[in-house]
Amino acid sequence: MRYCSLGSGSRGNATLIEYGTTRLLVDCGFSLRATEQRLARAGLSAHQLTAILVTHEHSDHISGVERLAQRYSLPVYMTAGTRHGMGSTDLPVRLIRFGEDIDIGDIRVTPVPVPHDAREPSQFIFDSGYHRLGVLTDTGSITPLITEMYSELDALLLEANYDPHMLASGPYPRFLQARVGGALGHLSNQQAAGLLASMDTRRLQQVVIAHISEKNNRPELARQAVSSALDGWSGQLQLAAQNQGLPWQEITETTQPTIACIGSR
């Protein structure tokens, strides 16, 4: 399994996951043209995509979904709440239900409910049968379910959106500071670090810091906080940027099938 970011931040988000002949695009917060350009930079055409999964209806995650799906006849998966939050659209949607895994090609997708100020937001875990990749952004707080579901991963793309001191002294008005820093907002550097500190990281090969705020954070602050929770860890820590994204990252195959897929492949 491999994955890359086409861009991550408040001006647009899109993540690619690939295993076998299956290529999934998580969110599409860029224009059609920009998405095609970013896909080309990753060595792909939109014709090669299998499906689009949508985490929630905020514009930095959905602004390009409808045009991309219609242009290339791609199925789109999202929750009923996200579909309602998108408003008027002719886009045919395949509904996601929490508690039910989805098999899309060679990848099993587990939707995870998260606290965020959207109608029915979801994040995802991707399982090839030999790899487990977690994507966790746009989450205001870490719930016990998140801690449970995001255990025993091989790779994790994790939001570290803001530094609390920068948010409090930054340009955002008070109401927006409260929204970002609230229980339905985004994860701070320290919250991201707290999740990692609570995890068993012996299997974890890679951590990618994502959705870093350009106004309320700095990459070095996010990296420092996350690194402090990974003391003694021998894996790879990287950042997904707004403009450059992150190049393809390969997850090394484990020697045993993942528990979730034993007997199901």
Side-chain angles (χ1 to χ4, degrees), residues 240-251:
Q242 177 68 87
N243 294 327
Q244 293 80 23
L246 179 75
W248 285 108
Q249 305 297 306
E250 192 87 25
I251 304 175

Side-chain angles (χ1 to χ4, degrees), residues 46-255:
H47 290 289
Q48 296 173 277
L49 296 177
T50 305
I52 304 171
L53 292 97
V54 178
T55 59
H56 63 295
E57 69 273 15
H58 291 167
S59 61
D60 58 324
H61 294 263
I62 68 160
S63 62
V65 168
E66 188 166 6
R67 289 196 65 195
L68 184 70
Q70 291 176 340
R71 172 71 63 86
Y72 295 97
S73 301
L74 295 170
V76 180
Y77 294 79
M78 66 181 72
T79 64
T82 297
R83 170 64 186 84
H84 182 74
M86 285 185 67
S88 178
T89 176
D90 295 327
L91 188 66
V93 169
R94 302 185 185 186
L95 292 180
I96 290 170
R97 295 176 178 84
F98 295 124
E100 297 180 9
D101 292 346
I102 311 160
D103 287 321
I104 307 176
D106 300 312
I107 300 175
R108 175 160 292 182
V109 182
T110 300
V112 182
V114 295
H116 192 52
D117 55 351
R119 293 293 183 116
E120 194 181 7
S122 176
Q123 294 294 310
F124 301 105
I125 295 169
F126 302 90
D127 196 324
S128 71
Y130 289 91
H131 322 79
R132 276 172 55 84
L133 164 67
V135 174
L136 182 64
T137 68
D138 296 81
T139 303
S141 53
I142 301 298
T143 65
L145 179 62
I146 289 174
T147 301
E148 176 186 351
M149 297 293 288
Y150 284 81
S151 63
E152 298 186 8
L153 297 175
D154 298 295
L156 173 61
L157 191 145
L158 176 64
E159 172 177 72
N161 180 258
Y162 68 94
D163 171 79
H165 298 294
M166 287 188 66
L167 177 65
S169 59
Y172 282 9
R174 292 297 180 189
F175 81 91
L176 191 52
Q177 290 181 12
R179 173 178 172 268
V180 171
L184 299 179
H186 292 271
L187 292 180
S188 69
N189 297 340
Q190 290 70 29
Q191 286 173 302
L195 174 63
L196 289 166
S198 71
M199 294 173 59
D200 182 347
T201 58
R202 287 176 294 180
R203 175 174 171 172
L204 190 64
Q205 301 174 29
Q206 301 162 3
V207 174
V208 176
I209 303 172
H211 218 305
I212 300 173
S213 171
E214 294 178 302
K215 295 183 178 180
N216 301 305
N217 207 355
R218 294 200 302 271
E220 61 269 24
L221 293 177
R223 182 183 287 274
Q224 181 181 18
V226 169
S227 295
S228 69
L230 294 170
D231 185 39
W233 178 65
S234 59
Q236 186 177 30
L237 177 62
Q238 298 195 78
L239 281 76
Q242 177 68 87
N243 294 327
Q244 293 80 23
L246 179 75
W248 285 108
Q249 305 297 306
E250 192 87 25
I251 304 175
T252 303
E253 187 167 298
T254 57
T255 57

